Each structure stands twice: as C-alpha cells, then as structure tokens.
Amino acid sequence: MIVRINQFDPEWAEDAADWSAGAFTGPIRAAWPDDTHGFEILILENDESDQLLDASARRSRLRELLPDLMLALAEPGHAAVLRLDGPLTAAGLLPVLSCLDLDDPAARFGLSPAMKLGEQSPEGSIRFHAPDPATAALCVAPSVDLESAVRLRIFGVPSELVAPLLDVSTLEDERWPEIVSEASYLLQTVRGLGALHVLTRRFDPDQLRARVTHQLLRAKI
C-alpha cells in the first residue's frame, strides 16, 4: 500500500471528519491552540505494484495503520487513551467491550452512564488505556463499525492526564481545554473511514512524515 500524508487547516478538522453533532459523537467543546498542525492520512487507490485497491481494501488498510500510527506518535512520559463514541447497540459500542482486555491488571477504562427508557437506543462513550498501544485490538476488529457507527479518537496525553481523560464523559466537560492543550496528538477516524486525521502541536510536517515512515518500515521488518 502507498500511504499519503496531506497537511490541512485544523479548523476544518471537525467538518472534514463528518460525524454527527450527537451528544457523544459530536465535537469536543475546546479549541486547539493556534500552533496546531492538521494532517490527513490516506491510502492511495493503486498499490506499489500498480494494483487497484477498492474502497473496502483501503478501509481495512487504514484500520491496520492505527496501531502503527499510535507507536509512531508515542512520546516519552505520554500515554495513549482511546475514546469511542456511538450508540449502545450491537452494531455500535457493544462489540467494543469484547475487543478490549478489561481483565488486564494494567488496563484502565471509563464508561458513560446510560439508560434506555424508550424505543431509541442511547449514545454512550467508552474510554480505554493500556500501556502497550498494540493491545488496542479493536483497531482492526471487524465487529466494531468504525465507518458509520463508532467514532474513534485516540489522544496522546501526559501520564498524569490519563485518569482525567478516562473520567471525562461529556463533550462539554470543563477539563477539555487542559487536555487539548497538553495533548501531544489526537488521532481520529473520518466518517466512512476514507481517511485518518492527526492534530498535533508536537510534530511539524517533516517530523510527522519521518516518524510515520520510520514506523511503517520497522513494521515490515
């Protein structure tokens, strides 16, 4: 596969991600600082052998990229926290619970409260942290609909902010400005899974491309 990284204005990130403005799938109520860089990561339609990759194959490749991107963006003293938002249904968040190793003594997680009092299924949020980013098996689990039902946002944050981020349920929480300002990156899915987005203050375009290229070459060894 051929990976392309394009730079874009972070102010467009929420519109470009194209998720609904739901109680949990909507935008976080905190602005990224002015020095934030925005990057779009794509899989090209033709691979190294000039073979055509259909949309389904490209979506699968983007899922497979997620653990490598987490490793490429990792910083000393920082940890990755995954946040998944969507409906509490068998086609939404419920399969996430079977993909995460919640019995791992080192794992930490938070679940939003939810009740179903009528016909409509409630939305919810699952936040998860494990020391090894490669344990995020949900990134490639086909049972989790990252295309249209579940919005995935992965934050790299200082270790002391892991617990607050796991605790944050609503998108209006007063702790979001601190989390956003201290985060080394946000890696998130675009609705339809045609691309991934990275927002970061820590890496300029050359640094990010070098890190991603290095990690992908390591993954091939």
Side-chain angles (χ1 to χ4, degrees):
M1 65 179 176
I2 301 177
V3 178
R4 172 169 289 174
I5 302 175
N6 299 321
Q7 192 170 6
F8 71 95
D9 189 333
E11 291 187 3
W12 303 344
E14 197 59 37
D15 288 340
D18 197 29
W19 288 95
S20 66
F24 290 92
T25 55
I28 293 165
R29 307 299 196 269
W32 283 77
D34 292 340
D35 58 347
T36 301
H37 298 284
F39 301 96
E40 178 186 55
I41 299 175
L42 303 164
I43 303 295
L44 297 190
E45 292 185 359
N46 293 77
D47 65 14
E48 297 91 336
S49 303
D50 203 31
Q51 297 296 309
L52 184 66
L53 296 174
D54 62 23
S56 177
R58 296 198 302 276
R59 288 193 295 267
S60 296
R61 298 292 179 89
L62 283 172
R63 280 179 178 263
E64 294 168 3
L65 270 182
L66 284 164
D68 283 320
L69 291 175
M70 292 167 68
L71 290 169
L73 295 167
E75 285 276 89
H78 283 229
V81 176
L82 287 73
R83 180 185 174 103
L84 299 106
D85 299 292
L88 286 165
T89 63
L93 283 179
L94 294 182
V96 173
L97 295 174
S98 62
C99 294
L100 299 176
D101 186 4
L102 302 183
D103 291 328
D104 180 353
R108 302 290 183 266
F109 63 90
L111 307 175
S112 63
M115 293 186 295
K116 184 178 181 181
L117 302 177
E119 294 183 358
Q120 187 172 359
S121 297
E123 283 193 357
S125 171
I126 298 173
R127 287 85 63 196
F128 180 78
H129 163 67
D132 183 358
T135 62
L138 65 92
C139 291
V140 293
S143 60
V144 179
D145 181 3
L146 296 181
E147 297 174 26
S148 61
V150 177
R151 181 173 188 174
L152 171 63
R153 288 176 269 210
I154 305 172
F155 295 85
V157 293
S159 298
E160 62 270 18
L161 287 181
V162 168
L165 184 50
L166 293 174
D167 186 51
V168 167
S169 178
T170 70
L171 300 174
E172 298 85 9
D173 193 285
E174 62 184 8
R175 291 167 288 185
W176 276 120
E178 179 187 7
I179 291 169
V180 165
S181 65
E182 294 295 327
S184 55
Y185 70 86
L186 165 62
L187 168 62
Q188 63 178 354
T189 53
V190 170
R191 185 174 175 83
L193 205 57
L196 302 172
H197 285 171
V198 176
L199 299 181
T200 178
R201 303 174 63 199
R202 194 62 60 96
F203 312 117
D204 65 27
D206 290 340
Q207 291 171 323
L208 183 121
R209 290 188 175 93
R211 279 175 167 260
V212 172
T213 300
H214 178 70
Q215 177 57 36
L216 293 181
L217 290 174
R218 285 187 60 190
K220 289 183 178 180
I221 297 175

